[in-house]
PDB file of all heavy atoms in Angstrom:
ATOM      1  N   GLU E 193      -2.251  20.090  11.662  1.00  0.00           N
ATOM      2  CA  GLU E 193      -2.499  21.375  11.010  1.00  0.00           C
ATOM      3  C   GLU E 193      -2.670  21.198   9.502  1.00  0.00           C
ATOM      4  O   GLU E 193      -3.518  21.842   8.886  1.00  0.00           O
ATOM      5  CB  GLU E 193      -1.360  22.356  11.296  1.00  0.00           C
ATOM      6  CG  GLU E 193      -1.322  22.852  12.719  1.00  0.00           C
ATOM      7  CD  GLU E 193      -2.579  23.611  13.104  1.00  0.00           C
ATOM      8  OE1 GLU E 193      -3.082  24.401  12.284  1.00  0.00           O
ATOM      9  OE2 GLU E 193      -3.063  23.404  14.235  1.00  0.00           O
ATOM     10  N   GLU E 194      -1.881  20.308   8.915  1.00  0.00           N
ATOM     11  CA  GLU E 194      -2.014  20.067   7.475  1.00  0.00           C
ATOM     12  C   GLU E 194      -3.352  19.411   7.148  1.00  0.00           C
ATOM     13  O   GLU E 194      -3.986  19.740   6.155  1.00  0.00           O
ATOM     14  CB  GLU E 194      -0.861  19.219   6.953  1.00  0.00           C
ATOM     15  CG  GLU E 194      -0.896  19.106   5.446  1.00  0.00           C
ATOM     16  CD  GLU E 194       0.322  18.440   4.844  1.00  0.00           C
ATOM     17  OE1 GLU E 194       1.310  18.183   5.568  1.00  0.00           O
ATOM     18  OE2 GLU E 194       0.280  18.182   3.634  1.00  0.00           O
ATOM     19  N   TYR E 195      -3.799  18.474   7.994  1.00  0.00           N
ATOM     20  CA  TYR E 195      -5.126  17.880   7.793  1.00  0.00           C
ATOM     21  C   TYR E 195      -6.186  18.973   7.764  1.00  0.00           C
ATOM     22  O   TYR E 195      -7.055  18.988   6.898  1.00  0.00           O
ATOM     23  CB  TYR E 195      -5.479  16.895   8.919  1.00  0.00           C
ATOM     24  CG  TYR E 195      -4.955  15.503   8.752  1.00  0.00           C
ATOM     25  CD1 TYR E 195      -4.081  14.966   9.681  1.00  0.00           C
ATOM     26  CD2 TYR E 195      -5.353  14.706   7.690  1.00  0.00           C
ATOM     27  CE1 TYR E 195      -3.611  13.664   9.553  1.00  0.00           C
ATOM     28  CE2 TYR E 195      -4.891  13.414   7.557  1.00  0.00           C
ATOM     29  CZ  TYR E 195      -4.014  12.904   8.488  1.00  0.00           C
ATOM     30  OH  TYR E 195      -3.550  11.632   8.364  1.00  0.00           O
ATOM     31  N   ILE E 196      -6.129  19.869   8.731  1.00  0.00           N
ATOM     32  CA  ILE E 196      -7.128  20.934   8.819  1.00  0.00           C
ATOM     33  C   ILE E 196      -7.109  21.781   7.553  1.00  0.00           C
ATOM     34  O   ILE E 196      -8.160  22.076   6.974  1.00  0.00           O
ATOM     35  CB  ILE E 196      -6.902  21.785  10.082  1.00  0.00           C
ATOM     36  CG1 ILE E 196      -7.250  20.960  11.324  1.00  0.00           C
ATOM     37  CG2 ILE E 196      -7.718  23.071  10.037  1.00  0.00           C
ATOM     38  CD1 ILE E 196      -6.834  21.582  12.643  1.00  0.00           C
ATOM     39  N   GLU E 197      -5.926  22.151   7.094  1.00  0.00           N
ATOM     40  CA  GLU E 197      -5.816  22.957   5.869  1.00  0.00           C
ATOM     41  C   GLU E 197      -6.351  22.201   4.656  1.00  0.00           C
ATOM     42  O   GLU E 197      -7.053  22.768   3.818  1.00  0.00           O
ATOM     43  CB  GLU E 197      -4.365  23.393   5.644  1.00  0.00           C
ATOM     44  CG  GLU E 197      -3.892  24.441   6.620  1.00  0.00           C
ATOM     45  CD  GLU E 197      -4.785  25.680   6.634  1.00  0.00           C
ATOM     46  OE1 GLU E 197      -5.103  26.211   5.544  1.00  0.00           O
ATOM     47  OE2 GLU E 197      -5.166  26.108   7.737  1.00  0.00           O
ATOM     48  N   LEU E 198      -6.023  20.918   4.559  1.00  0.00           N
ATOM     49  CA  LEU E 198      -6.513  20.114   3.430  1.00  0.00           C
ATOM     50  C   LEU E 198      -8.035  20.000   3.466  1.00  0.00           C
ATOM     51  O   LEU E 198      -8.702  20.137   2.446  1.00  0.00           O
ATOM     52  CB  LEU E 198      -5.892  18.716   3.460  1.00  0.00           C
ATOM     53  CG  LEU E 198      -4.429  18.600   3.084  1.00  0.00           C
ATOM     54  CD1 LEU E 198      -3.900  17.201   3.411  1.00  0.00           C
ATOM     55  CD2 LEU E 198      -4.226  18.892   1.602  1.00  0.00           C
ATOM     56  N   PHE E 199      -8.563  19.726   4.642  1.00  0.00           N
ATOM     57  CA  PHE E 199     -10.004  19.510   4.758  1.00  0.00           C
ATOM     58  C   PHE E 199     -10.799  20.785   4.513  1.00  0.00           C
ATOM     59  O   PHE E 199     -11.970  20.723   4.140  1.00  0.00           O
ATOM     60  CB  PHE E 199     -10.359  18.917   6.123  1.00  0.00           C
ATOM     61  CG  PHE E 199      -9.877  17.504   6.333  1.00  0.00           C
ATOM     62  CD1 PHE E 199      -9.818  16.969   7.598  1.00  0.00           C
ATOM     63  CD2 PHE E 199      -9.466  16.710   5.273  1.00  0.00           C
ATOM     64  CE1 PHE E 199      -9.389  15.666   7.811  1.00  0.00           C
ATOM     65  CE2 PHE E 199      -9.023  15.408   5.466  1.00  0.00           C
ATOM     66  CZ  PHE E 199      -8.989  14.884   6.743  1.00  0.00           C
ATOM     67  N   LYS E 200     -10.191  21.937   4.716  1.00  0.00           N
ATOM     68  CA  LYS E 200     -10.899  23.201   4.464  1.00  0.00           C
ATOM     69  C   LYS E 200     -11.283  23.351   2.995  1.00  0.00           C
ATOM     70  O   LYS E 200     -12.185  24.116   2.675  1.00  0.00           O
ATOM     71  CB  LYS E 200     -10.047  24.389   4.906  1.00  0.00           C
ATOM     72  CG  LYS E 200     -10.022  24.574   6.400  1.00  0.00           C
ATOM     73  CD  LYS E 200      -9.200  25.778   6.794  1.00  0.00           C
ATOM     74  CE  LYS E 200      -9.190  25.945   8.300  1.00  0.00           C
ATOM     75  NZ  LYS E 200      -8.350  27.076   8.711  1.00  0.00           N
ATOM     76  N   SER E 201     -10.623  22.617   2.114  1.00  0.00           N
ATOM     77  CA  SER E 201     -10.954  22.694   0.691  1.00  0.00           C
ATOM     78  C   SER E 201     -12.186  21.853   0.342  1.00  0.00           C
ATOM     79  O   SER E 201     -12.659  21.891  -0.780  1.00  0.00           O
ATOM     80  CB  SER E 201      -9.765  22.249  -0.164  1.00  0.00           C
ATOM     81  OG  SER E 201      -9.532  20.864   0.008  1.00  0.00           O
ATOM     82  N   ARG E 202     -12.696  21.118   1.309  1.00  0.00           N
ATOM     83  CA  ARG E 202     -13.871  20.261   1.081  1.00  0.00           C
ATOM     84  C   ARG E 202     -15.078  20.849   1.802  1.00  0.00           C
ATOM     85  O   ARG E 202     -14.933  21.506   2.823  1.00  0.00           O
ATOM     86  CB  ARG E 202     -13.587  18.845   1.565  1.00  0.00           C
ATOM     87  CG  ARG E 202     -12.441  18.199   0.801  1.00  0.00           C
ATOM     88  CD  ARG E 202     -12.293  16.738   1.113  1.00  0.00           C
ATOM     89  NE  ARG E 202     -13.521  15.986   0.989  1.00  0.00           N
ATOM     90  CZ  ARG E 202     -13.980  15.406  -0.131  1.00  0.00           C
ATOM     91  NH1 ARG E 202     -13.309  15.525  -1.246  1.00  0.00           N
ATOM     92  NH2 ARG E 202     -15.095  14.723  -0.143  1.00  0.00           N
ATOM     93  N   ASP E 203     -16.248  20.565   1.277  1.00  0.00           N
ATOM     94  CA  ASP E 203     -17.457  21.112   1.895  1.00  0.00           C
ATOM     95  C   ASP E 203     -18.256  20.070   2.677  1.00  0.00           C
ATOM     96  O   ASP E 203     -19.353  20.349   3.125  1.00  0.00           O
ATOM     97  CB  ASP E 203     -18.346  21.766   0.837  1.00  0.00           C
ATOM     98  CG  ASP E 203     -18.771  20.813  -0.256  1.00  0.00           C
ATOM     99  OD1 ASP E 203     -18.381  19.634  -0.226  1.00  0.00           O
ATOM    100  OD2 ASP E 203     -19.502  21.263  -1.156  1.00  0.00           O
ATOM    101  N   ASP E 204     -17.679  18.882   2.867  1.00  0.00           N
ATOM    102  CA  ASP E 204     -18.413  17.829   3.568  1.00  0.00           C
ATOM    103  C   ASP E 204     -17.791  17.444   4.912  1.00  0.00           C
ATOM    104  O   ASP E 204     -18.067  16.384   5.448  1.00  0.00           O
ATOM    105  CB  ASP E 204     -18.530  16.586   2.686  1.00  0.00           C
ATOM    106  CG  ASP E 204     -17.173  15.974   2.346  1.00  0.00           C
ATOM    107  OD1 ASP E 204     -16.141  16.629   2.597  1.00  0.00           O
ATOM    108  OD2 ASP E 204     -17.149  14.848   1.828  1.00  0.00           O
ATOM    109  N   VAL E 205     -16.967  18.326   5.474  1.00  0.00           N
ATOM    110  CA  VAL E 205     -16.312  18.041   6.746  1.00  0.00           C
ATOM    111  C   VAL E 205     -17.368  18.048   7.855  1.00  0.00           C
ATOM    112  O   VAL E 205     -18.156  18.986   7.958  1.00  0.00           O
ATOM    113  CB  VAL E 205     -15.218  19.088   7.048  1.00  0.00           C
ATOM    114  CG1 VAL E 205     -14.575  18.824   8.401  1.00  0.00           C
ATOM    115  CG2 VAL E 205     -14.176  19.090   5.945  1.00  0.00           C
ATOM    116  N   PRO E 206     -17.381  16.999   8.679  1.00  0.00           N
ATOM    117  CA  PRO E 206     -18.380  16.944   9.753  1.00  0.00           C
ATOM    118  C   PRO E 206     -18.230  18.108  10.738  1.00  0.00           C
ATOM    119  O   PRO E 206     -17.116  18.547  11.026  1.00  0.00           O
ATOM    120  CB  PRO E 206     -18.080  15.619  10.459  1.00  0.00           C
ATOM    121  CG  PRO E 206     -17.226  14.842   9.532  1.00  0.00           C
ATOM    122  CD  PRO E 206     -16.532  15.817   8.646  1.00  0.00           C
ATOM    123  N   ASP E 207     -19.345  18.574  11.246  1.00  0.00           N
ATOM    124  CA  ASP E 207     -19.329  19.650  12.238  1.00  0.00           C
ATOM    125  C   ASP E 207     -18.508  19.214  13.447  1.00  0.00           C
ATOM    126  O   ASP E 207     -18.633  18.090  13.925  1.00  0.00           O
ATOM    127  CB  ASP E 207     -20.753  19.973  12.706  1.00  0.00           C
ATOM    128  CG  ASP E 207     -21.568  20.627  11.603  1.00  0.00           C
ATOM    129  OD1 ASP E 207     -20.953  21.231  10.686  1.00  0.00           O
ATOM    130  OD2 ASP E 207     -22.812  20.542  11.651  1.00  0.00           O
ATOM    131  N   GLY E 208     -17.669  20.102  13.910  1.00  0.00           N
ATOM    132  CA  GLY E 208     -16.890  19.833  15.119  1.00  0.00           C
ATOM    133  C   GLY E 208     -15.591  19.095  14.913  1.00  0.00           C
ATOM    134  O   GLY E 208     -14.848  18.889  15.857  1.00  0.00           O
ATOM    135  N   LEU E 209     -15.289  18.668  13.680  1.00  0.00           N
ATOM    136  CA  LEU E 209     -14.071  17.894  13.464  1.00  0.00           C
ATOM    137  C   LEU E 209     -12.825  18.715  13.751  1.00  0.00           C
ATOM    138  O   LEU E 209     -11.901  18.249  14.413  1.00  0.00           O
ATOM    139  CB  LEU E 209     -14.001  17.338  12.036  1.00  0.00           C
ATOM    140  CG  LEU E 209     -12.740  16.516  11.711  1.00  0.00           C
ATOM    141  CD1 LEU E 209     -12.703  15.248  12.568  1.00  0.00           C
ATOM    142  CD2 LEU E 209     -12.678  16.156  10.242  1.00  0.00           C
ATOM    143  N   TYR E 210     -12.806  19.958  13.313  1.00  0.00           N
ATOM    144  CA  TYR E 210     -11.633  20.799  13.526  1.00  0.00           C
ATOM    145  C   TYR E 210     -11.341  20.962  15.020  1.00  0.00           C
ATOM    146  O   TYR E 210     -10.193  20.930  15.432  1.00  0.00           O
ATOM    147  CB  TYR E 210     -11.794  22.169  12.868  1.00  0.00           C
ATOM    148  CG  TYR E 210     -11.962  22.118  11.375  1.00  0.00           C
ATOM    149  CD1 TYR E 210     -12.959  22.841  10.743  1.00  0.00           C
ATOM    150  CD2 TYR E 210     -11.120  21.349  10.573  1.00  0.00           C
ATOM    151  CE1 TYR E 210     -13.120  22.801   9.366  1.00  0.00           C
ATOM    152  CE2 TYR E 210     -11.266  21.299   9.204  1.00  0.00           C
ATOM    153  CZ  TYR E 210     -12.267  22.034   8.600  1.00  0.00           C
ATOM    154  OH  TYR E 210     -12.420  21.988   7.246  1.00  0.00           O
ATOM    155  N   GLU E 211     -12.369  21.135  15.799  1.00  0.00           N
ATOM    156  CA  GLU E 211     -12.189  21.310  17.230  1.00  0.00           C
ATOM    157  C   GLU E 211     -11.649  20.045  17.883  1.00  0.00           C
ATOM    158  O   GLU E 211     -10.918  20.101  18.863  1.00  0.00           O
ATOM    159  CB  GLU E 211     -13.508  21.710  17.910  1.00  0.00           C
ATOM    160  CG  GLU E 211     -14.016  23.077  17.528  1.00  0.00           C
ATOM    161  CD  GLU E 211     -14.709  23.117  16.173  1.00  0.00           C
ATOM    162  OE1 GLU E 211     -15.170  22.076  15.695  1.00  0.00           O
ATOM    163  OE2 GLU E 211     -14.781  24.212  15.591  1.00  0.00           O
TER     164      GLU E 211
END
Side-chain angles (χ1 to χ4, degrees):
E193 289 299 319
E194 187 172 352
Y195 276 119
I196 290 169
E197 289 304 311
L198 287 170
F199 292 163
K200 284 182 180 178
S201 68
R202 298 189 51 88
D203 59 359
D204 63 348
V205 178
D207 291 336
L209 179 64
Y210 298 133
E211 293 79 22

